[in-house]
Structure formats: structure tokens, C-alpha cells
Amino acid sequence: RSFARSLLRFLGFIFWGTAAAQAFGGVLVILMLKNYRYLFQDSYLSLPGWLALAAALILLPTGVLAVSISVKCSRNQQGTLMYLLLLLLCLEMSSATLARSYCVRTASQLESVMVYLVHQHNWTCSRDPGNSAVDVIQRKLQCCGVHNYTDWLKTSSSWHHPACVPASCCKEHSHCRGDLGHVEQFSEEGCLKKLEGQLCFAMLYIFWFCTVLIILELLAGVSNGILMRHQPFHELRIL
């Protein structure tokens, strides 16, 4: 019983600390999908992030109850803690499952959308990096094409511009115009790999964090159950 009290107190402090990290993961997913909303057609992809935010808010009162119960047991507090832990388990399991599935599911979608945007892009050989979706992505991620700069040479529009790629492919070179004679001035990596890396990092962050929290919440539930077992009801005359 004393070990259950100590463990519950420890987990209460852990829940306070993990609430901020959980909220960070949720905001990370939501902002990333908002910044690249033109690449993701499905609005429900941000659902794991919103579930993580909701779980982070519930973790705060859960931690308060866990610490309070470890000091002075109260039937009302113990029952409320059990309900909050059950709600957290549902939120964490849903968020972890969705995050894991979305990480795998969106990989093929990203490639098809990027290929479409590259083929639809109409660029000119100039210093102006442009403001299209592809240009914004290439400047922000310091990438070029879907897999590399050669993707621009395979597009139908490249027949009209055979000697250059969009200027947004350039690294930090003031004299870079996208000239194919100076490929060393282009970003080496393709945009698809970087986009997938950012998406899967955010989703897997939520997945593994929720998995760890599920284990901790189960431990808190077991500890609370041990304390409830050693404090049976006495006032049953109302029945």
C-alpha cells in the first residue's frame, strides 16, 4: 500500500511534466499540416494532434488528483481519478493508432501530389524564385524536385526551358539562376524525402509518446485500485 502511494505521487508529478510534451506534439502536427495544407487533401489528418491536445489538458487535473490521493485518500477523488484515467486511455490509444496509420498512408499521397505540382509548374530562368506551392516548399525545406533536380528535366514544360530549373532550387547563392551548368548550386535532396521525414517525425512522436503514457496510466490505475481496495466502504446505511 505504501509503495502504491509513492508510485501514485510520482506518476502525478510525471503527468504534469508530460502534459507540456504531449501538447507540443499535438501543436507540431496541427501546424505542420496547416503549413502544407495544399499537399494534404484530407482535413482529418490533424485529428491525432487535436486528440493529443485534449489528452494534455486532461493530464493536468489527473496529476493533481494523483498527488492529492497519495497524501489523503478520498473516495470521490479516487473514483474521479479512475474515470479520468479511462478517458485518457481512450484518447491516447486513438491518437497513437491514427498517428501510426497516417504516417504510412500519406507517403504515397505525398508523392502523387508533388509529382502533379512539379508537372503543372511553369517556371522561367530568372532570379525570381516564384510564389507557387512548389517554390515555397523548395525554399522552406532547401530541396529540389520530387527526388532531385532531374525531376524538372522530365516535365513536359522543360522542353520550353531546357537549360534551367526553378530558381527556388538554388542554395544561398545570389548569382544562382537555376542554370544546369551549375548543378552544384542546387539543393541535393528531393522534397519528398524531407516532407515524409517531417510528417513521420511528428506522427511517430505522438505514437511513441502516447504508448509510454498508456503504460504510465495503467500503472496509476493499478496503484489507485490498490488504495481503493484497502479502503472499503463503511457508511452503507443509506442503502
Side-chain angles (χ1 to χ4, degrees):
R1 185 181 179 183
S2 60
F3 176 76
R5 283 179 180 271
S6 301
L7 180 60
L8 197 59
R9 184 185 301 112
F10 172 75
L11 291 174
F13 290 118
I14 290 295
F15 289 156
W16 288 345
T18 54
Q22 179 88 333
F24 169 77
V27 171
L28 182 66
V29 170
I30 294 171
L31 290 181
M32 189 195 63
L33 293 175
K34 182 180 180 181
N35 291 335
Y36 302 113
R37 56 186 176 276
Y38 38 80
L39 295 177
F40 303 100
Q41 307 300 324
D42 303 319
S43 58
Y44 58 80
L45 290 176
S46 61
L47 185 57
W50 290 110
L51 291 176
L53 278 180
L57 292 176
I58 299 175
L59 276 172
L60 294 175
T62 303
V64 173
L65 282 174
V67 174
S68 177
I69 291 171
S70 66
V71 176
K72 183 180 179 180
C73 290
S74 168
R75 272 295 177 180
N76 292 333
Q77 291 181 350
Q78 289 174 331
T80 304
L81 178 61
M82 281 299 193
Y83 282 119
L84 289 179
L85 289 174
L86 180 61
L87 180 58
L88 279 172
L89 282 172
C90 294
L91 289 174
E92 303 285 2
M93 291 179 68
S94 300
S95 182
T97 304
L98 291 175
R100 188 72 182 95
S101 62
Y102 289 170
C103 178
V104 178
R105 181 178 179 181
T106 54
S108 59
Q109 177 184 348
L110 267 178
E111 184 171 9
S112 61
V113 172
M114 282 297 300
V115 169
Y116 173 79
L117 291 176
V118 167
H119 278 266
Q120 293 299 313
H121 192 279
N122 185 21
W123 76 94
T124 57
C125 297
S126 67
R127 292 177 180 270
D128 182 16
N131 294 312
S132 69
V134 177
D135 291 318
V136 172
I137 293 173
Q138 291 187 149
R139 289 199 305 271
K140 184 180 295 185
L141 299 181
Q142 288 293 297
C143 58
C144 185
V146 181
H147 300 97
N148 51 51
Y149 77 94
T150 59
D151 293 314
W152 291 106
L153 309 180
K154 303 173 186 177
T155 62
S156 58
S157 58
S158 66
W159 294 102
H160 306 286
H161 309 284
C164 70
V165 299
S168 56
C169 278
C170 295
K171 299 177 184 177
E172 299 298 328
H173 294 285
S174 58
H175 56 278
C176 177
R177 292 175 174 269
D179 186 2
L180 292 178
H182 301 280
V183 294
E184 71 279 357
Q185 297 176 349
F186 304 157
S187 299
E188 291 85 1
E189 286 190 82
C191 296
L192 179 63
K193 183 179 179 180
K194 288 196 171 184
L195 281 170
E196 286 180 349
Q198 286 195 1
L199 175 67
C200 284
F201 171 79
M203 292 296 184
L204 291 179
Y205 176 92
I206 289 184
F207 171 77
W208 288 112
F209 201 86
C210 288
T211 302
V212 173
L213 276 176
I214 287 172
I215 298 174
L216 296 179
E217 288 155 9
L218 289 173
L219 289 175
V222 171
S223 301
N224 191 36
I226 292 174
L227 295 179
M228 293 178 73
R229 181 182 178 186
H230 285 83
Q231 188 185 6
F233 287 109
H234 297 293
E235 297 293 334
L236 300 179
R237 285 176 293 182
I238 191 174
L239 297 179

